[in-house]
Every structure is written in structure tokens, then in C-alpha cells.
Amino acid sequence: MGTGTGKTRLLGGRYQLTSPMGRDGVGIMWRAHDSRLRRNVAIKEIQPHFRDHGADLEEARRRALREARSAGRLSHPAVISVHDLLEEGGRLWIVMELLEALTLKETVRHLGHLPVHWAAWIGFQLLSGLRHAHGAGVLHRDINPGNILLTGDRVVLSDFGIAALSGEASASTTVPIGCAPAYTAPERLRGRAATPAADLWSFGACLYFAVEGRSPYPESGSLAVLSTAMSRNPEPPAKAGPLWTVLEGLLRRDPAARVSAGQAARLLSEILRLEGVAVAPPQLPAARFPAGPFTS
């Protein structure tokens, strides 16, 4: 459905598409207006992959349902809110909250790297949402700097398109197409099943990227080359300072040896305390960014 069609009728009888916001591996994100509740929203138009026989509509449907159901069962400031799921015009549409935000990837590419206290604060907030997801039985499976959103007062984990609910067949040993290999846990690249520990490795790789300005392993090359690189420990960061303790614990190749989410939260809260940044207890989200947010 093009922009012109979006202007002439409403999706689901209520959502008016206004302009495209961007594209990722599975579809187009639109800015839209909910005429029923009179609020602006974001809508992801899921576009099917094309196989030899044509568009893979069933795979697109499964992915859309998985994303909506995974994010829809969560309610946390650090997790994107999903409002609705539609199937119309041969496409699937996921309606979610509209955030005026930059991704962590965009922010770091612009600034070079983030100061230790900013990276720690972002990590603390993101980890709070990740712990909430894991507690609800949701594995994200594709945490990377491109789907971490930074607003004026929130850190938000988005794109649950390849998330898996505990016990579902989708929690397979196959690394889904579209994953960011440089942020995928070593055991996942070797074909092992997704686990909370694998999400924590990806989380640690994003923290490393935030404070260093690069991923812990090369971001280019085939999965085979990357898997070989991951047989070695990451190069120790030069800018992480006290964050290295957290990064080293999260980026261990053996998932059984990694620090837990609770341990990582306590370490991050202690770093922030020493940096003079007040945060809520590790089990609760903090209320706002420290003074002078870099998103202003």
C-alpha cells in the first residue's frame, strides 16, 4: 500500500497513514494517526519475503503475530508498547506507540562513543526491560544497537520480530535471517538454542559498542568467519573504565559462566552511584535521564 492509498482510506477503519519513517529487513515503519483515540502512532507494515513461488505470506504472518504477541504481553517503560495488529490489503500491520527517538546505533555513530556514565545509565534502563521480558517468558533474540531507542527520558527495546515465547517451537537453534551477527551470542552462532543468557551476551555487546564506538567483534564478514572470531575473547576496551567488569562478565563465551541479569544490574547501579548518577534500585526503572541528556 503506497502513501497515496494511505491518504484515501483508513486502515482498520481508524488508522490514517501519514508518512514513512524508515525501513528495516521486514517492512516499512509509518507515522500514522489513530482517529478513534485521537493520538499519533507508529505502524509497521510487514512485507513478506519472496521465494521461488512468490511472496511468503505465511512466514510474514507468523513473524507479525510473533512480534505482536511477544511485545503485547509486556508492559514496561523500556519495552515498546504494541496497541493493535491488523491484516488488510494482503499485508499485516503492527500498531505501536510512536516515539521521537534516535537509535543507539545512530547516536554512537554521530558522537563516536558515549561517556561511561551514559553507557551505564542506558544499560541499566535497558536491562530493566530485558529482565521484565525474560520474567514474562519472552526472549528477544536480536538485541543490537539498531533496535535500542533513545528518547529524552527513556531507553526502549524495540523490534520483537524474531522474539520467542518460552515453550514455542520458534525458539529454535537456527539463527534467524536478519539477525545482526556481531551482536549474536557465540553459542547461537554455533547452533545452540536461544536462552536468556544469549540475550545477555547481546546486551553486553551493545554496551561495549556504546562505550567503545565499535562492536566487540567485526561487524562484517560471513557467519563462518565471525564464528571463528568468536572463539577468542573480545579485545579489551580502551574507554570502558569501570564498565569493563560488567562487559567481561556478560561477554564470556560460556553462557553458564556469564553474570546474571541481577548481578549485571547491581554492578551497573554501583558504577552509576560512583559516577554521581542517582538511579532507582536495580529491580525498578529510573524515572528520568540525568541532567543534560545527549538527545537534546
Side-chain angles (χ1 to χ4, degrees):
M1 178 181 298
T3 306
T5 303
K7 289 181 178 179
T8 58
R9 70 185 182 90
L10 301 177
L11 281 175
R14 63 186 289 188
Y15 301 111
Q16 178 78 57
L17 301 183
T18 57
S19 61
M21 297 168 58
R23 179 188 293 269
D24 61 17
V26 297
I28 301 174
M29 186 68 76
W30 293 85
R31 183 183 299 271
H33 183 74
D34 181 350
S35 61
R36 185 173 301 170
L37 296 181
R38 297 182 180 178
R39 65 180 176 182
N40 293 326
V41 295
I43 299 183
K44 179 183 284 188
E45 175 188 0
I46 305 296
Q47 297 184 316
H49 294 292
F50 282 85
R51 311 296 184 188
D52 292 339
H53 59 279
D56 193 342
L57 295 175
E58 284 305 312
E59 172 57 27
R61 181 176 288 105
R62 284 193 295 269
R63 186 182 181 107
L65 285 171
R66 191 158 60 238
E67 176 166 3
R69 287 172 176 169
S70 297
R73 71 190 292 178
L74 306 176
S75 179
H76 192 280
V79 174
I80 196 78
S81 295
V82 169
H83 303 316
D84 201 356
L85 176 65
L86 307 169
E87 185 170 0
E88 189 169 311
R91 297 279 172 87
L92 290 129
W93 312 76
I94 302 174
V95 184
M96 60 191 74
E97 65 176 317
L98 176 65
L99 296 175
E100 301 295 344
L102 293 175
T103 67
L104 178 61
K105 181 177 181 178
E106 291 168 335
T107 303
V108 172
R109 292 299 186 217
H110 177 67
L111 298 178
H113 69 93
L114 302 183
V116 168
H117 71 288
W118 279 117
W121 195 92
I122 289 169
F124 184 83
Q125 299 307 303
L126 185 65
L127 187 57
S128 180
L130 188 58
R131 295 174 74 189
H132 173 74
H134 288 171
V138 176
L139 302 175
H140 190 282
R141 302 201 302 163
D142 189 26
I143 300 171
N144 68 75
N147 55 37
I148 297 170
L149 305 179
L150 308 178
T151 75
D153 58 2
R154 290 171 63 191
V155 178
V156 182
L157 183 59
S158 66
D159 197 355
F160 280 77
I162 62 170
L165 305 179
S166 295
E168 282 196 352
S170 58
S172 68
T173 58
T174 302
V175 178
I177 296 173
C179 266
Y183 298 93
T184 302
E187 67 272 18
R188 293 286 286 137
L189 293 174
R190 297 188 191 106
R192 293 174 62 177
T195 63
D199 271 355
L200 286 174
W201 192 96
S202 300
F203 163 73
C206 290
L207 275 188
Y208 187 108
F209 171 78
V211 77
E212 287 295 296
R214 59 181 177 85
S215 65
Y217 291 103
E219 294 197 44
S220 60
S222 68
L223 288 180
V225 173
L226 192 56
S227 184
T228 301
M230 287 192 173
S231 66
R232 300 186 296 272
N233 289 323
E235 181 181 342
K239 307 178 182 73
L243 264 181
W244 175 234
T245 302
V246 185
L247 298 177
E248 187 278 328
L250 290 167
L251 295 176
R252 292 170 184 166
R253 295 196 309 275
D254 179 3
R258 281 174 208 144
V259 297
S260 69
Q263 289 170 325
R266 287 189 290 274
L267 288 170
L268 287 170
S269 65
E270 179 61 17
I271 290 170
L272 288 168
R273 186 187 68 81
L274 293 175
E275 292 283 342
V277 179
V279 294
Q283 70 272 18
L284 298 173
R288 63 184 63 226
F289 272 104
F294 57 82
T295 51
S296 61

